Amino acid sequence: MLDKTFNPADVEKRIAAQWEESGAFKAGNRPEAEPFSIVIPPPNVTGRLHIGHALNNTLQDILARFERMRGKDVLWQPGTDHAGIATQLIVERQLAEKQMTRLGLGREKFLEEVWKWKAESGGAIVEQQHRLGASADWSRERFTMDEGLSKAVTKVFVELYKQGLIYKDKRLVNWDPRLQTAVSDLEVESIEVKGHLWYIKYPIEDSDQFITVATTRPETMLGDTAVAVHPDDERYKSLVGKQAVLPLTGRLIPIIADEYSDPEKGTGAVKITPGHDFNDFEVGKRHKLPLINLINRDGTLNDDVPAPYRGLSREAARRKIVADLEAMELVEKIEPITHAVPHDEKTKTVVLEPYLTEQWYLNVEPLAAKAIAAVETGETKFVPDNWANVYFSWLKNIRPWCISRQLWWGHQIPVWYGPEGEIFVAETEAEAQAQAGGKAITRDADVLDTWFSSALWPFSTMGWPEDTIELKRFYPTSVLVTGFDIIFFWVARMMMMGIHFLGEVPFKTVVIHNRVLDEAGAKMSKTKGNVVDPITLIDEFGADALRFTLALAAGQSRDMRIGPTRVETNRNFATKLWNTSRFCEMNGCVTVPGFDPASVTQTVNQWIVAETARAIADVTASIEALRFNDAAGNAYHFVYDIFCDWYIEITKPIIQGTDEGVKAETRATTAWARDQILKLLHPFMPFITEELWAATAPRDTMLVVAAWPTLKLDAQAASAEMNWVIDLIKGVRSVRAEMNVPAGAKIPLLLTGADATAAERLARNKDVVLTLARLTSADIADAIPKGSAQFVLGDAVAALPLGDVIDFAKERARLEKDLKKAQDEIARFDAKLGNEQFVFKAPEEVLTEQREKRAEAQALSVRLSEAIARLQ
């Protein structure tokens, strides 16, 4: 017996345990079946489930459950990423609370602390994935620092080194002075901050002239080695070739002509600091300028600057330099500005951009060429396909990948050095010692970029470099589902590594989903206080409601809005499903073994069988096309609108009637349709459907491994009749609502111009029409009485004589007043949206809101116009 209400908190943990105990999620249980594989984008071990994770995991789980029910051997590979910088930061903070430091502990002890933290706290996000209902093969859970994956990482590094693709070089890198490590270009986040633009006068040698440059970072001027002007800038042509005196140092630097300088920007003269700016570095190479490094690893100024500034932080040096320049009357002016400043996206530290260090690099250009070709030839396709352009734009302009990081947590680079600086690259220390021939060797202290190990995820998780059964069966994977923000970081790198080491693309399809916004259409941020926590939503509304909301919102090429109101709506949908199942149970609608849906004889039952077949086809096709929102929308429409709102209501009199034969068929059909609904909804709402599946009939299997429905039936005559009946009832209900007919008022219906088919349909279904449309009568008529509201039904006209129920003149006046109000609102929205200034300045969420309100007003205007026309 079903409880009166569905309580997710009582059900979800129990059902999840049953799934795990059954082994339903395990890959390899169906060796003869077609394989289907998908790897989870490994979340950071430091993380907590955010709404983006919830979306990504839900979409993957829909595919995994769908294909499992279709009989495939499904591997959904789970795991977590060691998250080098983020994890090291957390442990360092914990040590600081105990007045301890990483350096004080030493590398070995520090790493012991990190592993200890991972064991105690690193599993939180995995537990949250379980709460969402993720049906991954948890027996195969991997970690990017586990023994097998570490072996794969080492193997790849050594092989790439042997192939001449990995090398050491001294270049400019983005540098995090807080963690004292190189940071990838892709991990630099430009944040708008308020700052200043200082206009500084550089004296011209042996003259009373000055050349003025503008800079946001005066402290870097101590490393200037030139001033550049555009070759065609008439203002400075006479100065090209002369020397400027660098203030505070007295050093002479040349004034050069280079097209990098923009005459329209600032003063048109640019200070060139090759050691601390990527663009200046290129100018320096062109003009063979010296390169001066001003900064220590911790961001303080080093001994290559004048004595008064040595050891100062960048901020302190800036203040002192500006004060000294002002004292020398060399500051022409200072302008307040808002500008983008590069930060490390993890630590939010201002990145020292750039810093000259020796690092390990991977020449990815040869790998990129094959990755580009794989998408161009269709081996791998992007969905939606426009994201392929983003993929191409990065790969076609790719630069060497700086793969080393000055951290302790991560895969230590498999390189050892001899006493004379000899380099030995090997998979083990013993191999390196053998190469060194007995010389003392020291291991490189650096670790690899976290994304290096992530790039191997599709094949390292399956046991590579061993030739495993999993690799043969499940690689390449079927599909990857991920966000657009890691196409560069992860997708492209997996493509390069997979093709290079296994000779095949790592996945055949890449599904890219957009951002999740709040309910108002605004980007979520902690600052705004509008971050939606998926676990809070699960606690309040249940995992099924959240999952279904995410699926409904996941339209291709569009951002999605999620919040409590939307999730609550789908909690109500789950409640509707539960209540309808209780109605079935209370009215004897029991699953009949061997029931043949093609054998039903009643028109209404033939119709619901045909509608079920249509829903199965639509949902199946939508999931296959990776249109998750369409799949969820089709399921919702069938369950809520067709089955619950129409079929159940129409058949209530039959089920509660006296014709035992018709009653038995209808009960059996109802139970059959309910079972198909549970199967259709299971990939989206696994907990409630599994609970109902077990509670409503004796079953041979759990729903998670039940067969996906397949049915091709088309009852055209029955469908045409029932759809006609529904349109008639809808039309009456619409008129009642628009004309303010009192809910309790029963009114007559007259059908004019009806042919024999329409007359027969009305006669056969009169009881249903009278009950559901709240009518006193429903008859065929030759003429329409005066004072009737009308609507068209096929070739006939339905008339509702309302003269005795409402005041037509008063009602027309009300409707015309409401129409005028709606039209005025449309005009106001059009004026706003037609104002270029408003459109340019307004935030995107405001524009979206205005457009939606305009569409609502337009729809209301159409309905009111139709209502007025009915009164004519």
Side-chain angles (χ1 to χ4, degrees):
M1 187 78 176
L2 290 172
D3 292 340
K4 188 173 182 182
T5 57
F6 174 65
N7 188 337
D10 293 341
V11 170
E12 289 171 358
K13 194 170 184 179
R14 172 169 50 80
I15 292 291
Q18 289 173 6
W19 286 331
E20 281 292 310
E21 289 165 13
S22 74
F25 302 163
K26 286 189 176 181
N29 287 344
R30 299 168 174 173
E32 304 303 318
E34 179 186 347
F36 176 87
S37 54
I38 182 168
V39 293
I40 201 167
N44 286 351
V45 70
T46 57
R48 295 292 184 271
L49 195 78
H50 59 60
I51 199 69
H53 289 134
L55 168 69
N56 183 267
N57 287 187
T58 295
L59 301 186
Q60 291 174 80
D61 195 48
I62 288 169
L63 293 174
R65 289 179 183 274
F66 170 67
E67 297 295 4
R68 192 178 291 117
M69 292 177 77
R70 293 217 290 181
K72 293 183 183 178
D73 186 10
V74 173
L75 168 60
W76 183 16
Q77 175 64 55
T80 49
D81 189 276
H82 65 279
I85 290 177
T87 307
Q88 183 158 318
L89 269 175
I90 286 174
V91 177
E92 287 200 46
R93 287 191 195 115
Q94 289 184 348
L95 290 174
E97 291 171 5
K98 303 173 188 174
Q99 284 74 52
M100 298 167 69
T101 67
R102 169 172 63 96
L103 296 174
L105 270 183
R107 185 172 195 138
E108 189 175 336
K109 292 287 185 185
F110 175 76
L111 290 178
E112 286 177 10
E113 290 294 317
V114 180
W115 281 107
K116 181 180 173 184
W117 173 88
K118 194 259 180 187
E120 293 173 353
S121 307
I125 196 163
V126 174
E127 289 304 313
Q128 292 171 333
Q129 288 173 320
H130 280 274
R131 288 206 60 191
L132 189 67
S135 67
D137 185 347
W138 296 106
S139 68
R140 296 173 180 267
E141 184 183 343
R142 303 304 298 268
F143 178 54
T144 50
M145 286 280 287
D146 70 29
E147 185 179 351
L149 270 64
S150 296
K151 182 179 178 182
V153 168
T154 301
K155 176 83 172 175
V156 164
F157 184 98
V158 172
E159 289 298 313
L160 291 171
Y161 179 81
K162 288 178 179 176
Q163 293 163 14
L165 294 172
I166 283 181
Y167 58 94
K168 207 168 191 183
D169 197 7
K170 197 167 188 177
R171 295 186 179 203
L172 296 175
V173 297
N174 293 297
W175 183 261
D176 184 333
R178 180 177 172 189
L179 283 173
Q180 297 185 35
T181 180
V183 176
S184 162
D185 292 351
L186 297 176
E187 292 168 319
V188 174
E189 179 183 359
S190 290
I191 299 176
E192 291 284 329
V193 299
K194 290 183 178 178
H196 295 89
L197 190 61
W198 285 272
Y199 289 77
I200 302 170
K201 297 189 291 185
Y202 287 16
I204 305 298
E205 183 189 22
D206 298 330
S207 78
D208 57 359
Q209 289 181 288
F210 296 89
I211 187 167
T212 301
V213 298
T215 180
T216 59
R217 298 180 63 198
E219 68 277 10
T220 63
M221 67 177 288
L222 301 178
D224 288 358
T225 54
V227 174
V229 297
H230 195 278
D232 299 330
D233 194 331
E234 295 293 338
R235 294 172 296 176
Y236 300 117
K237 276 192 173 181
S238 63
L239 296 180
V240 173
K242 293 188 177 182
Q243 302 272 346
V245 180
L246 184 63
L248 307 178
T249 70
R251 196 158 37 81
L252 294 178
I253 57 175
I255 299 171
I256 60 175
D258 194 281
E259 291 185 351
Y260 167 63
S261 178
D262 183 352
E264 305 297 321
K265 201 171 179 181
T267 65
V270 184
K271 60 188 284 301
I272 301 299
T273 319
H276 293 286
D277 184 278
F278 285 108
N279 292 317
D280 291 5
F281 179 76
E282 296 301 323
V283 175
K285 282 203 299 186
R286 286 196 291 272
H287 295 270
K288 296 184 172 59
L289 298 174
L291 187 150
I292 300 172
N293 180 25
L294 301 174
I295 310 292
N296 293 312
R297 291 165 67 93
D298 64 358
T300 59
L301 272 63
N302 64 23
D303 290 345
D304 288 332
V305 303
Y309 311 110
R310 292 172 190 168
L312 296 179
S313 68
R314 290 167 293 163
E315 296 76 16
R318 181 178 301 175
R319 290 192 295 271
K320 182 164 177 54
I321 286 169
V322 170
D324 291 348
L325 290 170
E326 287 178 328
M328 298 168 68
E329 298 184 347
L330 291 178
V331 177
E332 187 174 287
K333 62 178 178 176
I334 304 172
E335 290 179 351
I337 60 167
T338 299
H339 63 136
V341 176
H343 289 66
D344 181 335
E345 67 166 5
K346 297 282 194 312
T347 66
K348 304 304 178 188
T349 305
V350 175
V351 170
L352 185 62
E353 181 191 1
Y355 185 65
L356 185 68
T357 64
E358 194 170 49
Q359 302 285 344
W360 286 98
Y361 287 87
L362 170 57
N363 176 15
V364 284
E365 196 170 335
L367 282 65
K370 292 179 181 178
I372 291 167
V375 174
E376 287 178 335
T377 58
E379 280 185 82
T380 295
K381 65 174 183 176
F382 278 81
V383 177
D385 60 8
N386 60 291
W387 289 111
N389 296 326
V390 177
Y391 171 85
F392 290 140
S393 71
W394 186 64
L395 284 175
K396 289 179 179 179
N397 297 285
I398 201 162
R399 298 191 296 181
W401 177 9
C402 176
I403 56 174
S404 49
R405 297 291 181 269
Q406 289 65 55
L407 304 171
W408 284 356
W409 174 242
H411 296 99
Q412 193 169 354
I413 289 175
V415 172
W416 286 261
Y417 301 102
E420 305 300 322
E422 309 97 312
I423 294 177
F424 307 105
V425 178
E427 292 184 39
T428 65
E429 187 169 0
E431 289 178 16
Q433 285 176 330
Q435 291 177 27
K439 296 177 184 176
I441 57 174
T442 305
R443 189 166 185 176
D444 194 311
D446 289 354
V447 300
L448 288 164
D449 178 7
T450 298
W451 293 102
F452 191 92
S453 53
S454 300
L456 318 183
W457 188 251
F459 55 92
S460 63
T461 53
M462 295 185 195
W464 188 92
E466 304 303 324
D467 189 18
T468 64
I469 294 170
E470 289 84 357
L471 269 175
K472 291 174 181 174
R473 182 153 179 75
F474 294 111
Y475 187 94
T477 63
S478 309
V479 64
L480 176 76
V481 181
T482 190
F484 67 90
D485 53 333
I486 53 174
I487 291 175
F488 303 151
F489 282 117
W490 194 46
V491 178
R493 287 168 173 168
M494 284 190 290
M495 286 287 286
M496 290 190 287
M497 292 296 197
I499 295 169
H500 189 72
F501 283 97
L502 279 88
E504 287 186 275
V505 296
F507 22 74
K508 298 165 188 171
T509 303
V510 181
V511 181
I512 300 293
H513 56 73
N514 279 33
R515 298 177 301 171
V516 183
L517 308 176
D518 72 5
E519 286 182 312
K523 186 178 178 180
M524 294 184 195
S525 75
K526 292 178 182 177
T527 308
K528 291 180 182 177
N530 65 341
V531 174
V532 175
D533 180 357
I535 297 302
T536 300
L537 293 173
I538 289 173
D539 287 340
E540 188 170 359
F541 304 112
D544 291 321
L546 174 61
R547 290 169 58 108
F548 200 74
T549 304
L550 290 165
L552 274 174
Q556 293 179 1
S557 298
R558 76 178 188 206
D559 291 334
M560 55 209 81
R561 300 182 185 188
I562 300 295
T565 304
R566 293 178 185 233
V567 181
E568 184 179 20
T569 297
N570 290 304
R571 190 272 310 277
N572 296 342
F573 174 51
T575 300
K576 183 87 166 179
L577 176 65
W578 187 265
N579 290 342
T580 301
S581 298
R582 286 188 72 238
F583 169 84
C584 294
E585 181 183 69
M586 291 160 56
N587 285 277
C589 302
V590 177
T591 299
V592 175
F595 174 79
D596 179 9
S599 67
V600 297
T601 58
Q602 297 300 302
T603 299
V604 69
N605 294 330
Q606 291 174 342
W607 165 71
I608 199 60
V609 166
E611 289 293 334
T612 304
R614 185 176 293 110
I616 290 168
D618 290 345
V619 173
T620 301
S622 295
I623 298 178
E624 287 177 337
L626 304 166
R627 303 191 69 89
F628 301 99
N629 62 317
D630 290 341
N634 289 331
Y636 181 95
H637 170 64
F638 171 64
V639 175
Y640 201 108
D641 299 334
I642 294 175
F643 183 74
C644 296
D645 276 3
W646 287 111
Y647 179 72
I648 293 294
E649 293 305 314
I650 289 170
T651 57
K652 274 181 182 177
I654 299 173
I655 288 174
Q656 295 163 0
T658 56
D659 188 325
E660 292 301 324
V662 174
K663 187 192 293 189
E665 177 186 292
T666 304
R667 281 174 167 168
T669 306
T670 302
W672 171 85
R674 177 207 58 212
D675 287 352
Q676 309 318 302
I677 284 169
L678 295 180
K679 291 179 179 181
L680 282 180
L681 285 178
H682 181 73
F684 308 95
M685 308 175 83
F687 291 106
I688 190 172
T689 53
E690 190 73 76
E691 179 76 351
L692 287 171
W693 180 258
T696 51
R699 308 291 186 180
D700 295 331
T701 67
M702 295 183 74
L703 181 57
V704 67
V705 290
W708 183 257
T710 54
L711 179 67
K712 292 184 179 179
L713 278 176
D714 188 11
Q716 292 185 2
S719 294
E721 179 163 326
M722 293 314 302
N723 289 332
W724 183 89
V725 170
I726 289 169
D727 287 343
L728 174 58
I729 295 167
K730 280 182 178 177
V732 174
R733 288 176 174 177
S734 180
V735 170
R736 294 182 70 109
E738 290 166 0
M739 302 299 159
N740 274 349
V741 175
K746 289 212 168 186
I747 54 177
L749 168 75
L750 298 174
L751 200 61
T752 64
D755 58 14
T757 300
E760 289 167 7
R761 287 173 177 170
L762 182 61
R764 280 194 296 268
N765 297 281
K766 184 174 283 191
D767 289 345
V768 169
V769 172
L770 294 178
T771 302
L772 298 185
R774 297 199 302 275
L775 300 171
T776 55
S777 60
D779 300 301
I780 303 296
D782 295 326
I784 298 172
K786 190 174 181 180
S788 295
Q790 307 165 35
F791 63 92
V792 175
L793 183 69
D795 294 330
V797 175
L800 298 167
L802 299 176
D804 296 334
V805 182
I806 61 171
D807 183 328
F808 266 53
K810 186 177 178 182
E811 190 57 27
R812 184 180 290 111
R814 180 189 71 81
L815 291 169
E816 288 173 347
K817 181 180 177 182
D818 289 348
L819 177 61
K820 174 70 166 56
K821 183 180 176 182
Q823 290 171 337
D824 289 345
E825 281 190 356
I826 292 168
R828 279 198 299 274
F829 289 128
D830 285 344
K832 263 189 179 182
L833 294 170
N835 183 326
E836 289 184 8
Q837 284 291 96
F838 173 76
V839 172
F840 179 74
K841 291 180 180 179
E844 185 57 38
E845 58 263 30
V846 172
L847 292 175
T848 301
E849 181 186 35
Q850 294 291 304
R851 292 182 183 118
E852 287 177 352
K853 286 184 176 179
R854 198 248 181 229
E856 289 169 6
Q858 179 64 39
L860 176 61
S861 172
V862 170
R863 290 198 303 273
L864 291 168
S865 297
E866 290 172 351
I868 291 168
R870 291 190 182 114
L871 293 173
Q872 301 306 319

